[in-house]
Amino acid sequence: MPFADTPLRDEYAAAVERVAGRTLDALRGAGGAAALADPDTAAPRPLLAAVRVLGADLFTPQLLAGAEPDGPTAALLAEARRAFPAPAPASAEAALVIAWQDWAIDRLLARTPYGDAAPASPPSPVPGPADLGWQSWSVRMAQLSVLALPGLDGPVHDAARSGTLHLAHGTVRSMLRRDFTTAVRLARWLAWTSAEGLPPRLEVEPVLDRTRLVGIGAVRTRLELAVAQRLLEGSPA
């Protein structure tokens, strides 16, 4: 079926996978920026939607190589923010996740000419495991895995540092439930805490190996897996 004939939602989903794939290719390369768009032409709306979804993860090739966010990607992400403001959340919990994901974007754009010079203030704190229970808290942290990157630090990261045992429990629970996407996202947090020099609560490498063996299909999840692997190997703080 021609691409133009697919429903709009499928077109946007396909764009997310393409952008994730280009970012993954750049991450596996020399740490350069992913070539996402022609700077001399207007970015198509599906591309802007995909860039909005990937958010801070667009800069993983640079951040994991110890470099600064690149200008062309920052310009495209800033344009995507204008084209797609934060959606109306379905719940207070969803609003909090969106707010923290946008905080990560703002913090990174502030390091480029395409964001506010003053870093964004952190949103409301994420309730901890004492409030949510470790199962629900680990799911929330999986939703915020895009924050597990060098160069970002805030209350969510403090919660990850103090909650490594809960992150390990959540990872094991997700593996047993065959929820490999959540497992990879929590393993990414554990890899981040390992890069921070905290003692491991779980061997993350077997989790990543098992996930590769089951053959997860989504390119976006493969990107998260690659980020976790790079964090385990040691990346600049």
Side-chain angles (χ1 to χ4, degrees), residues 3-16 18 45-47:
F3 186 76
D5 293 340
T6 60
L8 187 61
R9 183 172 60 182
D10 292 346
E11 187 176 350
Y12 281 17
V16 169
R18 285 198 304 276
R45 197 164 176 82
L47 172 61

Side-chain angles (χ1 to χ4, degrees), residues 31-207:
L36 301 178
D38 183 347
D40 298 324
T41 61
R45 197 164 176 82
L47 172 61
L48 292 176
V51 166
R52 184 71 170 94
V53 169
L54 268 293
D57 265 349
L58 296 169
F59 297 117
T60 53
Q62 295 88 57
L63 297 177
L64 289 165
E68 287 296 305
D70 69 286
T73 302
L76 191 61
L77 183 53
E79 182 182 354
R81 288 286 300 277
R82 293 190 295 269
F84 293 95
S91 65
E93 292 78 11
L96 190 58
V97 169
I98 292 170
W100 275 107
Q101 290 170 341
D102 280 353
W103 172 86
I105 292 173
D106 290 337
R107 293 284 296 207
L108 293 175
L109 287 182
R111 293 158 58 176
T112 76
Y114 302 96
D116 295 331
S121 300
S124 301
V126 175
D131 303 305
L132 297 176
W134 68 264
Q135 295 97 329
S136 296
W137 179 78
S138 62
V139 170
R140 185 71 51 81
M141 291 297 287
Q143 294 169 336
L144 294 173
S145 63
V146 70
L147 275 67
L149 280 172
L152 288 175
D153 205 350
V156 174
H157 301 81
D158 291 338
R161 292 184 183 100
S162 62
T164 52
L165 184 58
H166 299 306
L167 292 172
H169 287 160
T171 304
V172 172
R173 178 175 183 266
S174 299
M175 292 296 288
L176 292 173
R177 293 163 62 91
R178 301 186 64 81
D179 181 357
F180 297 110
T181 297
T182 298
V184 165
R185 291 173 176 175
L186 292 174
R188 174 173 169 173
W189 273 117
L190 288 171
W192 180 86
T193 62
S194 178
E196 288 275 294
L198 295 176
R201 296 285 192 162
L202 179 72
E203 290 188 41
V204 177
E205 189 69 59
V207 174

